Amino acid sequence: MSGKKRTIIILEVIAAIIGLISAYGSSCPTFTPPTDPTSSLYIMNQMQWIFIITTLLSWAAAIGSGVLVWAIKKNKKWAYITAIITNITGFISGLIPALLIMLIGGSSFSPSLLRTFIYLIILILLLIPSFKEALFEDESEKGSVSTNLSAVLIIPGLILSLQTLIVAPTHIIDDVNVYMYNSLQLIGGLVMVAIGLFVFAIGRYRKKIE
């Protein structure tokens, strides 16, 4: 697998993971918004229909990114156009809530904004001809399974772990930290990194003895 194709796959994995976490985290306040006008999230009550749409789009984009990883690996013809649509959807679904969060005085670097940038980066890369061509290349003799798998595990794992350090301050709502899955995400990210390093080490060892 070429570096360009691997880059797209890794970014899509990151987008899928962060997208699922973001969609899951926003579902509760979106469908059961606070009714107290003094709440920092009262805007979700006033503009609930916008948040419902963006949350549903977030779920769709996150799941779509996961499907795209498989499609790109299998060189499916519909992978490119689907990638464009999925990442545009992800970009919009992240940008709107991010702007609304900043509108009410929230953090300027929320998880929604983070995935917005990820989707934007993927979109820009997909518009570069060499990256587009890389999606359809024959990877039968390029790269090893262990190297590709370890990269897909390690890099998203690091992003997932580091996000917990960034996200917590953005989830102080009404003086309460509502980021309840902080430790779970941190542990999950570190486990991914550990597995990735193990797979990489096994691959290097097997290559050495061959």
Side-chain angles (χ1 to χ4, degrees), residues 36 39 46 63 119-120 122 129 134 137 171 183 207:
D36 182 3
S39 172
Q46 297 174 305
I63 295 172
Y119 283 118
L120 180 60
I122 298 174
E137 68 184 6
H171 283 62
S183 58
K207 187 175 181 180

Side-chain angles (χ1 to χ4, degrees), residues 180-195:
M180 303 303 293
Y181 39 84
N182 194 339
S183 58
L184 179 62
Q185 182 177 332
L186 176 62
I187 294 172
L190 293 176
V191 168
M192 288 179 65
V193 172
I195 295 175

Side-chain angles (χ1 to χ4, degrees), residues 97-118:
L99 293 176
L100 290 175
I101 289 171
M102 287 186 280
L103 182 65
I104 63 175
S107 172
S108 59
F109 195 73
S110 63
S112 294
L113 191 60
L114 176 61
R115 62 189 174 91
T116 297
F117 282 127
I118 293 174

Side-chain angles (χ1 to χ4, degrees), residues 48-204:
Q48 186 181 18
W49 65 274
I50 294 180
F51 284 95
I52 289 176
I53 292 174
T54 56
T55 296
L56 293 176
L57 289 177
S58 297
W59 278 108
I63 295 172
S65 292
V67 173
L68 274 172
V69 172
W70 172 81
I72 294 172
K73 287 283 293 180
K74 295 296 183 180
N75 290 331
K76 297 297 182 180
K77 294 181 179 179
W78 46 267
Y80 181 75
I81 186 62
T82 304
I84 295 294
I85 295 173
T86 298
N87 287 288
I88 288 177
T89 301
F91 174 77
I92 294 173
S93 68
L95 181 63
I96 293 176
L99 293 176
L100 290 175
I101 289 171
M102 287 186 280
L103 182 65
I104 63 175
S107 172
S108 59
F109 195 73
S110 63
S112 294
L113 191 60
L114 176 61
R115 62 189 174 91
T116 297
F117 282 127
I118 293 174
Y119 283 118
L120 180 60
I121 291 171
I122 298 174
L123 274 173
I124 293 173
L125 292 178
L126 289 174
L127 294 177
I128 299 175
S130 60
F131 276 88
K132 178 181 178 180
E133 293 170 2
L135 296 187
F136 304 103
E137 68 184 6
D138 182 7
E139 60 180 69
S140 58
E141 297 181 358
K142 296 184 178 180
S144 65
V145 174
S146 61
T147 300
N148 296 332
L149 180 58
S150 62
V152 170
L153 287 169
I154 293 173
I155 297 178
L158 287 173
I159 296 294
L160 204 57
S161 300
L162 292 174
Q163 190 199 10
T164 61
L165 304 177
I166 301 171
V167 168
T170 71
H171 283 62
I172 305 299
I173 301 172
D174 298 332
D175 298 323
V176 177
N177 183 2
V178 298
Y179 192 62
M180 303 303 293
Y181 39 84
N182 194 339
S183 58
L184 179 62
Q185 182 177 332
L186 176 62
I187 294 172
L190 293 176
V191 168
M192 288 179 65
V193 172
I195 295 175
L197 290 173
F198 178 75
V199 170
F200 179 76
I202 292 297
R204 296 286 291 183

